[in-house]
Amino acid sequence: MKLRELTALELGAVIKKGEVCVREAVQAALDAVAAQDGALNAFITVAGERALCRADKLQAGVKDAQSPLYGVPMAIKDNICTRGVRTTCASKILGDFTPPYDAAVVEQLADAGAVSLGKLNMDEFAMGSTSETSYYGPVKNPWDLARAPGGSSGGAAAAVAAGMGWYAIGSDTGGSIRQPAAHCGVTGMKPTYGTVSRYGLIAYASSLDQIGPLCRDAADCAAVLDVLMGHDCRDATSLPGLDSDWNGSGPRADYGHLLERLTGDVRGMRIGLPAQCFGDGLDGAVRAAVLGAAQVLKGRGAEIVELSFPVLEYAVPAYYIIAAAEASSNLSRFDGVKYGWRAEEYDGLADLYRKTRTQGFGREVKRRILLGTFVLSSGYYDAYYKKALQAKAVIKDAFDRAFEGCDLLLTPVTPSPAPRLGDSLGDPLSMYLGDIYTVSVNLAGLPALSMPCGLDAEGMPIGAQLIAPHFGEGAALSAAHAFQLDTDWHRRAPKGGEAP
Ligand code: GLN
């Protein structure tokens, strides 16, 4: 049995049957890491010994295991706190930070019998679209080592694509799960804002950040989300009423149990194609692949609806103002006093702050802090920040209107396939514009996923995005599952990886 070719659910099933033991699965993943991560740099910290010890402990409980993911090795983005395991946010300033507590999602995964292989590389503080801004060096795309894997959860996407673990946990503030998933040929989902606890996620832009899975396919995403979703009183933005004992009415009544509800039946589902998402600036191969996905869904009984989404052009400016504003506030806690690294030589308190932050943060993080401080400063607040909040409200309204005429929206994830390493670093503005299809989803707090839907002429993966109304994860995952029943893009793997 080639373990690498299994999905997380398939691996969970053979572990449950006793055909594969947990240690064997962990060892296979660690062998894949040893063989490939020197080239890919997807991990910042590999916790091999810890994973093997955990495997042996879990083995004793296989027979009684409830979760379909019990014993399945996975890995976690390095902005999610893990007790006793260094959590750097890919920054020098947190280079020696070992959290004294686990993030809520880490606790939930542990309860479900997950085994973590370690912590995944990313853009510094999740700011970026290529995973090149990490203090620990850029992540490489397993499909072509000369290209970026996308960002900021680039390590997560590269690890899953290369068979270094069966799924990964990432975070998405403006596309950081969906975009690297698209560039690496994996399936990733950002859930509805407030459905997964952010407790223990190191904040970038708190009103936009959400944790979610990167997996081999939609069914695995459903299984991981079933573990992650739920109310947590330690996160003030966590939504109540998500647990199985919810007795209310309305859209949350049948929330959860995504895996059970994954029928793959899209008959009568109305799938909207927003004209503005297929206009100028979109690569021809990406357009063809995403429109091809629409045809596959149509073939399974969905209805394709064309519609207009005229506010798309406001999404990138509004997002970058709001995200930078929140980042400038969130990152003020890194001052060399409370957490992590401190400049070695300084002359007084002001100099300690200045030197620690100057030397501890990278260029992109400093750019965001400066931009965020500027848009919040008196005299500019109304012109930029307040206007961005108004644009956010307009975008949310536009989505509400769009969903009056359709059940899901289908769009590209990115305007083009994965960029070459180095191309984006010198031109941040064009990198920001590459987020055009993903950021509006976070501004509106909606769930959306990215699924592989083709390869370009150079063999690079292309992703299609499905966006659902709030709490519509089930519909988006069902449509993706339907697509994956008829196609095998999600089963393609990059060449060159050692199959565990
Ligand atoms: N590329 C976007 C940014 O740099 C999104 C990042 C993210 O989702 N964390 O802000």
Side-chain angles (χ1 to χ4, degrees), residues 77 126-129 152 171-176 204 319-320 323 368 435:
K77 188 175 178 179
M127 297 173 191
S129 309
S152 64
S171 68
D172 190 311
T173 306
S176 279
Y204 161 15
Y319 168 82
Y320 273 94
R368 309 281 178 114
D435 294 338

Side-chain angles (χ1 to χ4, degrees), residues 63-312:
K63 283 213 172 59
D64 302 320
Q66 299 294 317
S67 168
L69 295 171
Y70 189 92
V72 177
M74 45 73 71
I76 302 169
K77 188 175 178 179
D78 211 21
N79 58 350
I80 296 175
C81 287
T82 42
R83 182 155 59 101
V85 180
R86 185 167 79 123
T87 300
T88 68
C89 243
S91 182
K92 177 178 177 180
I93 214 160
L94 284 177
D96 60 2
F97 175 58
T98 300
Y101 67 99
D102 276 329
V105 294
V106 174
E107 292 173 350
Q108 288 164 304
L109 288 160
D111 286 349
V115 189
S116 170
L117 301 165
K119 304 300 293 291
L120 295 163
N121 205 351
M122 52 183 275
D123 280 301
E124 186 180 2
F125 281 98
M127 297 173 191
S129 309
T130 59
S131 299
E132 292 174 286
T133 70
S134 168
Y135 178 69
Y136 304 92
V139 183
K140 314 280 171 60
N141 191 315
W143 293 78
D144 177 353
L145 296 181
R147 297 198 196 225
S152 64
S153 310
V160 175
M164 301 190 293
W166 277 261
Y167 66 95
I169 303 300
S171 68
D172 190 311
T173 306
S176 279
I177 289 175
R178 292 159 285 156
Q179 195 236 47
H183 287 337
C184 293
V186 303
T187 306
M189 182 157 210
K190 172 229 171 286
T192 305
Y193 184 78
T195 58
V196 174
S197 172
R198 291 184 298 109
Y199 175 78
L201 168 68
I202 297 174
Y204 161 15
S206 315
S207 77
L208 307 166
D209 298 339
Q210 261 305 265
I211 293 175
L214 292 97
C215 301
R216 304 269 162 92
D217 65 10
D220 282 0
C221 280
V224 179
L225 282 171
D226 279 341
V227 173
L228 301 185
M229 287 188 317
H231 178 242
D232 180 6
C233 57
R234 296 168 297 182
D235 170 2
T237 58
S238 170
L239 291 164
L242 294 174
D243 302 320
S244 46
D245 59 355
W246 166 250
N247 290 321
S249 56
R252 274 185 264 158
D254 66 347
Y255 207 61
H257 306 287
L258 292 169
L259 187 57
E260 270 169 41
R261 295 196 283 129
L262 204 66
T263 59
D265 183 2
V266 291
R267 281 172 300 171
M269 197 182 260
R270 295 162 307 161
I271 296 186
L273 301 181
Q276 287 76 2
C277 295
F278 294 88
D280 288 347
L282 179 61
D283 176 272
V286 176
R287 173 180 306 164
V290 177
L291 292 176
Q295 287 312 310
V296 172
L297 291 167
K298 190 173 173 193
R300 291 187 70 94
E303 186 191 330
I304 305 299
V305 186
E306 296 199 0
L307 54 89
S308 177
F309 194 76
V311 299
L312 188 71

